Amino acid sequence: MHKMRRASGCWSILFLRRWAPYMLALAPLLFVVVMLVAPTLRLVWEGIWGQDLAMGLSEEAGTGPAGNAWSIVLDPDLRWRMGWSLMQATATCLLALVLGVPLAWVLARWQFTGRELVLRLLMLPFVVPTLVAALGVLALWGPRGWLGAPLAAAGFELEETPWMLLYGNLFFNLCLLVRAGVQALEQVSSTRLAAARTLGATAWRAFWRIEWPVMVPWLASSLCLVFLYCFSGFGLALVLGGQRYATVEVEIYRLVAHELALAQASRLALWTMGLNTLAALAYAWVEQRLASPAHVTPLPRRQVTSLTQRCVLATVLLVLFMVSGAPLLAIVLRALLALANTNSMALLLNEETLSALQNTLVFSTLALCFSSLLGVLHALALHASEIAGWRKVAARTASFLPFAVSPVMMAFGLLLLYPQWSASLPVLLGAYALLAYPFVATALTAALDQLPASYTQAAATLGARPWRVFWRVTLPLISPALRRGASFAAATALGEFAVSLFLSRPEWTTLTTLIHQHLGRPGASHLDAAMLLSALLMLLTLGCFILIETHDRSVS
Amino acid sequence: MQRRFFSFSMALLALSGVLSALGASAQQQVTLRVMTHNSFSLPKETLAQFEKKAGVKLQIVKGGSAGEMLNKLILTRNQPIADVVYGIDNTLLPRAQAAGIIDPYLGPAARRKAAAPMDDKADANGVSAGVVPVNYGYVTFNIDKAWFARQGLSLPASLQDLTRPAYNRLVVVQHPATSSAGQAFLLATISGLGEDAAFDWWARMRANGVKVAQGWSDAYYKDFSKNGGTRPIVVSYATSPAAEVFYSKEKIHTPPTANLFLTGAVFRQVEGVALLKGADPTAREAAMAFIEFMRSPAVQHDLQTSMWMYPAEAQAKRVDALQQHAQEPATFNSLPGTALHANARRWLHRWNTVVLK
Amino acid sequence: MLELRNIIKHFGPPQAAPLLIGISMAVPPGETTALLGASGSGKSTLLKIVAGIEQPDSGSVWFNGQDISLLPPEQRHFALMFQDFALFPHLNVQDNVAFGLIEKGLPKADARMQARAMLERFGLGNHALARTWTLSGGEQQRVALARALITQPRALLLDEPFSALDAALRERMRDEFKWHIAQAGMTAILVTHDETEARTMASHGWLLQNGRLSRRW
C-alpha cells in the first residue's frame, strides 16, 4: 500500500515534468493569441469583407473580397503610398550599404584609441525612441534646425522633401548594418586571406574574393531587418514624412484617426502585412543559411599610423557621428536653449506634463515586469521542450511575430476586435508588454542555449527540486541576459508611440504622445517644449542603454 | 545587480502607486470631462467661475482638430472619454448623428432662439439632433491690403477671376482633410458653383499656382504675406481682420487685412455643444450646467475675443472689435446635411486627385 | 545494491534505432564498477538513466530491493560527476560544495563550515573563497568530488571524469579518487573509454558494445 502511494506520487511528478514545457508555454501562448493573433485575424477579415458604411464612398459599396483587395491597387493615391514606402525602404537599404560597408571595414580592420567605445555606442540608436530620433532630425535639419536654418535661408527647404525621412531611417539602420559588417569581417579567416595574398591577389582583389563573400550573408540578413524596420516604421514617417512622403503605416493611422475609414484602412493593412511577412520570411531564411560562428583566427587589427589612414578614419567617424550622433546632440542643445526660454517652460510646468511623465514611468515599469515574466516563461518552455529541427526554428521565429505585425496594425486590430475595451488600461499595457517581451525571450533563449546542461543536472542530483534548480542555478546564470533583454524591453516601452496613439485615453497621455501633441500645435514654444520632453525621454532611454552595456563581472 | 534592478523597479512602481492613490483621493469632487478641439479657448477666470458655481472640477481634453476629436469620440463610444463635447460644427453633425454618440439636450438653452441654426434640419431654436449652437463664424478670403496697394493690382471680383494669370501664385488655401477652414472653403465652392464646375475651378487654380497648407496656422502665420509669406490672399475667418487690430502692438484703427467676400467663397460654420451618450452619470448635472454656461452672457461675450467667433445667443452684445471691423457677409454658402454626409469622402477624394496628384 | 533490469532505450522516438538493448546489471555495494565502451556507445546515457535524468523506454532501476524508476533525480540521492566538472560559476568553491547540504535543509552557516572542513580534507582549504574558474582542471574535479561526497549519496556516478585532464594528471587523480571513494565506502559506477583507468579504479568491469552489455572482469 505504502509502495503504491509512493508510486502514484511519483507518477504525478513525472507527469508534471513531462508536461511542464507546455504548461509554461500556456501563459505566453495565450497572451500572444489574445493580443496578437486574434486582432490580426480580425484585421484580415475586415480587410477582405469590411465595408465602409455611412461614409459615402458609393463606388465601393457592393464589391466582394476580391474587389476590396484590388481596390487598393486601383486607387492611385494608395498605389503611390505603397510604392513610396517600398522605395524609401529600398533606398535606405542601399544608402546604408554604401555608407556602412566602408565603416564596418575600418572598424573591423584598424585599431585606434576609442575603438571599443565606438563599437559599444553602435548599439545606442537601437534604444532611442523613434519620436526622439524624428525630433533629432528636425532639430538638426528642420527649418529651425542647427543646420537646417542656414540651409533654409539659402533657399534649400528640406521640409517637404524625402531626405529627412531617409536621414531618420539611416539614423537607426546604419549602425545595424555596421555591426553586422564588423561581425562578418571577424569571421574572415586570416589564414585564408594570407593564402590569397601569397597567391598574388592585391588587397582589393583579396577583399572581393575572400572577405566580401563572408560578409554577404550577414549583410543580407541585416538588410532584411533594415527593410522591415523602414517599411513598417511609423513614428519617423509621421513626423518627417509630411503629406507626400509619409509611409503606409502613417496612411493607415490617418485613415483610422482622421477619416474613420476602417474598412479601407484594413485593406491597406492587409497588403502591408503581406509584404512585412515576406520580408520577415526572407530574414528567417537568410538567418538559417548563416553559418554558425566558426572558430577562425581573425585578422589582427592594424594600428592607425599614416596620415591617409587618419584622414580616412576621421571621415568615416564623422559620417557615423553625423548620421547617428548629431541628431541626439542637436536635441540636447535645443533643449538647453529651451530651458532658458520662459515660454516653453511655462508650457511644460503644468499638470499635463507631470501626469505624462508619471504615466510613462508606471506603464513602462508594469510592462517591463509583465514582459519579463512572459519572456522567462517563453524561454523556459522553449528550452524545456526538446523539439528540434524545423519546429525549433519555427518556434524561434514565432517569437519575432510582433515584428511582422507592426505596432500600428496590432493596435488597429485590437481596436477592431475589442471595441469596448479599446481605451482600457489592461489592453494598453498588454500591447506594451507584447511589443517588449520578444527582447526578453530571445535574450533568454540564447542564454539558456549556452547554459551547459550539466549544471542543472548536477544541481538535480545534489538534491534540488526543479524549482530550486531554477532559482539557485539557472536564474543567477541567465540574469545578465535577463537584464540585457529587460533593458531593451524597458527602452521599447518608454519609447512606445504607435499603440499609445491608437489606444490611449486622454488621461493616459504618455511622454511620447505629449511630444506629438506639442508638435501638432503651431508656434516656436511648442516645438521647444517638444524638444525638452524629447531630451528627457532620451535621458531615460540612455539609462536603459547603460544598464544594457555595463558588464556583469561576477559571472564569467 | 539583478536584485538591485528588481528592487529599484518595485520601488518605482510603489511610488507611482502611492502618488496616484494620493491624487485620486485628493479629488473628492466630481470631474467634468469636456472634449474640445485644439482651438478652444476661454479666459481662465471665466472657467474658474463656472467650476466654483457648479462645484465641479473641469478637465478640458483637447482632442486635435474638430474632425479628429469627433473620430476619437466615435471610436471610444462604448466607454466615452468625455461627458460633454464642444466643437461639433454643421459639417460634422451628420457624422456625429449617424454614429449615435449624442445625448440630446432639452434644457433652457435649447429652448432659446439662436442667431444661427446648427443646420438646415434644426428646429426653430437652431438645435439639431440635440446639439446646441454656441457660436458661428464665416470662412472666407482675407487679403493683405498693403500688398495689393503696393502692387497696384485690383482685387478679384469673383472666383473665376482668381484663375486669371494676373493672380498667379497669390492664393494659399488649407488642406480640407486636415483643416476645418479648408474643408469649409471646399464646401463653399461646391455649394456656390455646383460640384463639377467647382472641381473644374480647382483644377484651374492648381494650374494657377494655388498653395495648399496643412492647417490654418501654417497658412496664416507662414504663407500669408502680411506675416512674411508670399501669398496675399488666404482662406481665413471673417473675424481675422478684427483680431489683427485687437492684437496689434501699436494702436491701429484700421485692420491691415480685409475680408474678401466672393460668391461661392463664404461658408458659415456653426459650432455647438452636446451631451455624450454613456457619459459618467454623476457628472450629468454638471454637464448640463456646462451647456447653459456656454450660452451664458459671460461666455458669449468672452468667446468673441478668445476664439474670434460670433455668439449664437440672439441677444448677445457684440464687442467693439467685432462690431467695427468684422461685418458679417450678406450672403454665404451652406449645404444640406444629407448631401454633406453622403458625399464628404468622395469630394475629399476628388479634391485630392484634382489638386494634389 | 543497485540493479538495472532490462533497460531499453532508443535514439529518439521508439521507431528509431535502438541505443541500449535489454541492459541488465547488478552493481555490488561499496565497490566501484566500471562501464567501458567507445564514444557514442550509450554509456553516458545509461548513467543518466541510473541518475534519473533520462527515462528509459522500458526497463527499471532498482535500489536495495525498491523500484526507483519513477523517482525524480533529486530523490534518488545518487551523485553525478561530469566531464566538464559542472561547478557553478556564480558560486565560490565553498558554496559549490555546500550546495547539496543547503538543499537538505541545513542552515547556510553550518553548511559552509562543513564544506570548509571537507575542502581541508581534499587539500583545497585555502581555495575556499576562490572563484571556480581560477582553479586548475584537477582542482576543479576534486571540488566536484567533494561536492558530491559531502551529501553522503547512496551511490556515486562518474561520467568520464578525467577526460578533460592531461595524461599525467589523470594518473594522479585516479589514485586520489580511488582513495576517497574507498574511504567513504561508496558504491560507484565509473563510465570511461580508457581500459587502464577502469582496471585501476574498479573491481568489476562491464563492456557496452552495440547496445549490449557483457562482463569483462
Side-chain angles (χ1 to χ4, degrees):
Chain A
M1 197 57 211
H2 180 76
K3 226 187 278 184
M4 283 268 277
R5 211 183 312 145
R6 193 102 170 281
S8 61
C10 299
W11 259 118
S12 55
I13 291 181
L14 275 177
F15 178 77
L16 275 172
R17 299 273 168 96
R18 172 111 169 60
W19 291 102
Y22 301 97
M23 292 196 328
L24 281 174
L26 199 65
L29 207 63
L30 204 65
F31 181 68
V32 169
V33 164
V34 164
M35 291 292 296
L36 186 64
V37 178
T40 311
L41 290 175
R42 174 73 176 83
L43 192 59
V44 170
W45 186 93
E46 183 77 23
I48 298 182
W49 285 286
Q51 291 293 338
D52 269 326
L53 306 163
M55 276 286 115
L57 261 173
S58 47
E59 60 251 34
E60 288 191 37
T63 53
N68 279 351
W70 210 234
S71 69
I72 299 291
V73 181
L74 291 177
D75 183 328
D77 298 342
L78 296 177
R79 250 208 326 262
W80 154 259
R81 196 60 77 195
M82 193 64 98
W84 165 247
S85 307
L86 288 169
M87 216 155 59
Q88 55 98 25
T90 321
T92 312
C93 287
L94 286 172
L95 279 171
L97 199 63
V98 164
L99 289 174
V101 170
L103 243 152
W105 196 89
V106 166
L107 278 174
R109 292 285 178 251
W110 288 357
Q111 181 63 38
F112 51 91
T113 43
R115 178 181 175 275
E116 292 297 323
L117 186 63
V118 174
L119 279 178
R120 291 255 212 109
L121 287 177
L122 278 180
M123 286 297 290
L124 183 58
F126 206 62
V127 295
V128 172
T130 50
L131 215 55
V132 172
L135 266 122
V137 175
L138 266 184
L140 193 60
W141 297 104
R144 284 206 198 89
W146 296 109
L147 293 177
L151 273 181
F156 295 106
E157 264 255 8
L158 282 174
E159 204 156 21
E160 277 292 320
T161 64
W163 297 111
M164 300 240 275
L165 178 60
L166 289 178
Y167 199 91
N169 280 344
L170 273 180
F171 171 85
F172 284 112
N173 294 300
L174 184 64
C175 290
L176 207 68
L177 202 82
V178 170
R179 266 174 60 88
V182 171
Q183 278 176 320
L185 283 170
E186 278 169 2
Q187 294 299 309
V188 175
S189 151
S190 62
T191 47
R192 268 220 234 143
L193 208 55
R197 295 302 296 276
T198 53
L199 285 169
T202 59
W204 185 240
R205 295 277 295 166
F207 173 75
W208 269 121
R209 301 202 62 193
I210 306 283
E211 294 182 276
W212 179 248
V214 175
M215 288 179 83
V216 165
W218 288 83
L219 292 178
S221 141
S222 74
L223 278 178
C224 285
L225 268 186
V226 170
F227 184 85
L228 203 60
Y229 288 150
C230 291
F231 184 69
S232 57
F234 176 65
L236 274 178
L238 184 66
V239 176
L240 299 175
Q243 244 312 59
R244 190 161 165 76
Y245 295 110
T247 57
V248 178
E249 299 274 320
V250 177
E251 188 67 28
I252 294 176
Y253 167 69
R254 282 206 192 122
L255 282 172
V256 174
H258 291 211
E259 291 181 42
L260 221 52
L262 299 181
Q264 194 177 31
S266 322
R267 274 170 239 145
L268 199 57
L270 211 58
W271 276 89
T272 314
M273 234 187 325
L275 286 165
N276 273 353
T277 314
L278 280 177
L281 282 175
Y283 172 67
W285 183 77
V286 177
E287 276 283 287
Q288 268 275 73
R289 325 236 15 249
L290 215 56
S292 45
H295 289 288
V296 295
T297 34
L299 210 58
R301 290 186 288 275
R302 282 181 291 155
Q303 185 70 29
V304 167
T305 42
S306 74
L307 188 62
T308 8
Q309 280 184 332
R310 281 189 212 276
C311 286
V312 171
L313 181 65
T315 326
V316 147
L317 287 180
L318 186 67
V319 167
L320 189 61
F321 172 70
M322 278 309 289
V323 171
S324 298
L328 297 177
L329 191 62
I331 296 189
V332 171
L333 289 175
R334 176 112 266 137
L336 287 175
L337 272 184
L339 270 177
N341 184 344
T342 44
N343 280 343
S344 37
M345 288 311 284
L347 278 177
L348 284 180
L349 291 173
N350 56 18
E351 218 182 279
E352 196 183 33
T353 312
L354 202 63
S355 133
L357 181 63
Q358 183 187 333
N359 281 342
T360 297
L361 289 174
V362 171
F363 291 176
S364 303
T365 317
L366 286 173
L368 181 65
C369 298
F370 194 27
S371 56
S372 299
L373 185 64
L374 281 176
V376 169
L377 288 175
H378 178 116
L380 282 178
L382 208 59
H383 186 74
S385 70
E386 277 134 16
I387 54 174
W390 69 266
R391 262 178 251 148
K392 192 164 196 176
V393 172
R396 291 231 170 161
T397 329
S399 60
F400 272 97
L401 221 55
F403 290 143
V405 179
S406 71
V408 166
M409 289 195 283
M410 182 187 70
F412 185 24
L414 283 171
L415 199 71
L416 284 173
L417 188 59
Y418 312 120
Q420 67 277 29
W421 294 323
S422 66
S424 69
L425 198 58
V427 172
L428 183 67
L429 289 177
Y432 270 46
L434 187 68
L435 292 169
Y437 108 90
F439 295 105
V440 184
T442 42
L444 284 180
T445 312
L448 280 173
D449 277 349
Q450 286 177 351
L451 197 68
S454 53
Y455 288 3
T456 46
Q457 289 167 355
T461 55
L462 284 169
R465 288 186 303 285
W467 161 246
R468 296 282 297 176
V469 172
F470 175 73
W471 182 247
R472 293 197 66 199
V473 178
T474 316
L475 193 58
L477 289 175
I478 60 174
S479 74
L482 179 61
R483 196 193 57 222
R484 220 165 173 271
S487 305
F488 270 112
T492 309
L494 281 172
E496 211 302 306
F497 175 51
V499 171
S500 316
L501 210 55
F502 259 97
L503 295 179
S504 159
R505 300 169 75 94
E507 53 262 32
W508 299 333
T509 308
T510 55
L511 277 180
T512 46
T513 44
L514 187 61
I515 292 174
H516 182 241
Q517 275 177 28
H518 277 294
L519 273 183
R521 297 181 197 158
S525 4
H526 276 291
L527 185 61
D528 285 338
M531 291 286 171
L532 259 172
L533 290 173
S534 304
L536 179 60
L537 194 56
M538 196 171 74
L539 279 175
L540 286 173
T541 46
L542 252 172
C544 294
F545 178 67
I546 292 176
L547 276 176
I548 294 174
E549 283 295 309
T550 45
H551 293 301
D552 196 359
R553 290 294 152 97
S554 65
V555 182
S556 66
Chain B
M1 186 71 205
Q2 165 210 358
R3 295 251 164 78
R4 247 185 288 158
F5 184 63
F6 272 127
S7 47
F8 173 70
S9 35
M10 282 304 135
L12 201 66
L13 194 59
L15 185 66
S16 324
V18 168
L19 275 176
S20 9
L22 277 178
S25 62
Q27 288 170 325
Q28 282 306 339
Q29 52 177 178
V30 175
T31 306
L32 177 66
R33 302 168 300 172
V34 182
M35 181 70 144
T36 70
H37 50 53
N38 280 351
S39 318
F40 174 76
S41 163
L42 279 179
K44 273 212 214 53
E45 306 81 43
T46 321
L47 292 172
Q49 268 185 0
F50 171 75
E51 282 183 310
K52 221 188 326 182
K53 201 166 133 212
V56 293
K57 183 161 171 350
L58 265 184
Q59 190 189 3
I60 310 246
V61 180
K62 291 205 173 162
S65 71
E68 273 182 65
M69 164 193 86
L70 179 58
N71 284 338
K72 282 202 178 106
L73 289 173
I74 296 180
L75 281 174
T76 53
R77 62 174 173 264
N78 287 309
Q79 218 183 334
I81 52 181
D83 306 307
V84 63
V85 55
Y86 163 78
I88 295 187
D89 67 14
N90 46 331
T91 60
L92 293 173
L93 189 53
R95 207 196 300 181
Q97 205 177 358
I101 56 168
I102 310 237
D103 190 3
Y105 180 68
L106 308 159
R111 296 197 288 265
R112 290 199 299 275
K113 187 157 171 58
M118 279 304 298
D119 66 2
D120 56 323
K121 290 219 279 299
D123 63 16
N125 295 322
V127 174
S128 180
V131 179
V132 177
V134 173
N135 52 252
Y136 64 100
Y138 299 93
V139 171
T140 180
F141 280 125
N142 274 189
I143 51 123
D144 180 358
K145 292 204 289 207
W147 189 96
F148 273 93
R150 237 184 4 251
Q151 301 291 340
L153 194 61
S154 60
L155 293 176
S158 70
L159 274 180
Q160 302 305 332
D161 272 353
L162 284 172
T163 62
R164 293 209 329 256
Y167 299 103
N168 178 273
R169 290 163 153 253
L170 295 186
V171 181
V172 55
V173 301
Q174 299 86 10
H175 197 298
T178 48
S179 162
S180 67
Q183 186 191 40
F185 183 69
L186 171 62
L187 294 174
T189 57
I190 294 177
S191 156
L193 302 174
E195 182 180 338
D196 289 322
F199 282 107
D200 181 55
W201 179 83
W202 278 105
R204 280 184 283 137
M205 282 305 287
R206 177 199 184 155
N208 211 22
V210 68
K211 181 161 187 198
V212 178
Q214 280 284 80
W216 176 84
S217 317
D218 285 327
Y220 198 82
Y221 289 116
K222 274 187 13 198
D223 298 314
F224 191 32
S225 58
K226 188 210 162 271
N227 291 319
T230 54
R231 311 284 171 133
I233 306 178
V234 63
V235 168
S236 182
Y237 297 91
T239 49
S240 301
E244 288 286 345
V245 173
F246 193 79
Y247 290 126
S248 65
K249 292 208 185 70
E250 324 85 35
K251 280 200 71 77
I252 53 178
H253 296 287
T254 47
T257 60
N259 286 323
L260 184 64
F261 295 129
L262 300 175
T263 325
V266 182
F267 193 84
R268 186 168 74 178
Q269 219 181 14
V270 186
E271 287 181 328
V273 62
L275 297 172
L276 285 171
K277 233 183 241 181
D280 185 6
T282 57
R284 190 182 170 78
E285 239 190 75
M288 299 202 291
F290 187 77
I291 296 186
E292 293 297 326
F293 166 69
M294 290 303 280
R295 282 286 285 261
S296 67
V299 171
Q300 294 284 305
H301 174 271
D302 287 336
L303 63 83
Q304 293 179 48
T305 49
S306 68
M307 290 196 280
W308 294 97
M309 297 286 240
Y310 300 102
E313 195 67 34
Q315 308 303 324
K317 212 167 104 69
R318 297 290 166 82
V319 300
D320 282 338
L322 286 189
Q323 256 187 326
Q324 289 175 2
H325 307 294
Q327 269 72 41
E328 296 187 43
T331 57
F332 55 84
N333 302 99
S334 63
L335 281 171
T338 40
L340 250 175
H341 192 211
N343 297 302
R345 284 279 308 284
R346 193 168 57 77
W347 286 335
L348 187 58
H349 217 73
R350 194 170 171 184
W351 186 93
N352 253 322
T353 323
V354 169
V355 179
L356 284 187
K357 297 296 168 240
Chain C
M1 167 84 137
L2 179 61
E3 269 185 76
L4 295 172
R5 292 188 192 169
N6 208 20
I7 302 281
I8 296 180
K9 179 96 182 148
H10 295 264
F11 266 111
Q15 309 90 304
L19 179 65
L20 301 168
I21 309 170
I23 307 289
S24 297
M25 74 191 251
V27 180
E31 298 182 28
T32 306
T33 304
L35 194 54
L36 277 166
S39 13
S41 52
K43 44 193 204 301
S44 293
T45 314
L46 191 59
L47 206 64
K48 287 190 182 141
I49 289 175
V50 174
I53 291 168
E54 285 197 38
Q55 291 295 317
D57 292 328
S58 80
S60 49
V61 182
W62 291 73
F63 189 80
N64 284 351
Q66 271 186 347
D67 186 350
I68 59 169
S69 313
L70 298 176
L71 273 186
E74 61 267 15
Q75 290 183 26
R76 292 196 191 191
H77 302 298
F78 297 158
L80 188 49
M81 291 200 43
F82 299 84
Q83 205 174 354
D84 64 355
F85 325 131
L87 292 182
F88 306 131
H90 63 292
L91 299 173
N92 61 22
V93 166
Q94 183 179 284
D95 283 335
N96 260 281
V97 175
F99 189 90
L101 292 178
I102 294 177
E103 288 308 314
K104 278 203 175 148
L106 223 63
K108 231 187 203 157
D110 294 338
R112 282 190 171 142
M113 248 180 10
Q114 288 194 27
R116 185 100 42 109
M118 190 72 168
L119 284 168
E120 295 282 347
R121 266 189 270 146
F122 274 76
L124 295 165
N126 21 335
H127 293 283
L129 297 174
R131 287 283 155 196
T132 54
W133 61 82
T134 58
L135 270 58
S136 72
E139 287 167 336
Q140 287 193 44
Q141 198 58 295
R142 281 193 212 121
V143 173
L145 184 62
R147 181 176 71 177
L149 288 179
I150 201 172
T151 59
Q152 290 168 336
R154 302 194 290 193
L156 190 61
L157 311 171
L158 302 117
D159 190 353
E160 306 211 39
F162 310 123
S163 319
L165 308 172
D166 60 67
L169 194 54
R170 232 178 275 159
E171 275 194 48
R172 277 214 316 273
M173 297 292 283
R174 248 183 252 160
D175 298 329
E176 227 184 278
F177 268 50
K178 187 170 171 185
W179 185 82
H180 280 294
I181 293 170
Q183 270 270 302
M186 194 101 313
T187 312
I189 303 181
L190 170 71
V191 159
T192 178
H193 60 267
D194 185 343
E195 185 149 0
T196 333
E197 186 173 291
R199 285 198 188 268
T200 318
M201 292 187 67
S203 49
H204 303 271
W206 298 78
L207 174 67
L208 186 57
Q209 206 172 36
N210 297 328
R212 287 179 214 279
L213 211 59
S214 53
R215 194 69 197 245
R216 292 284 272 181
W217 69 91

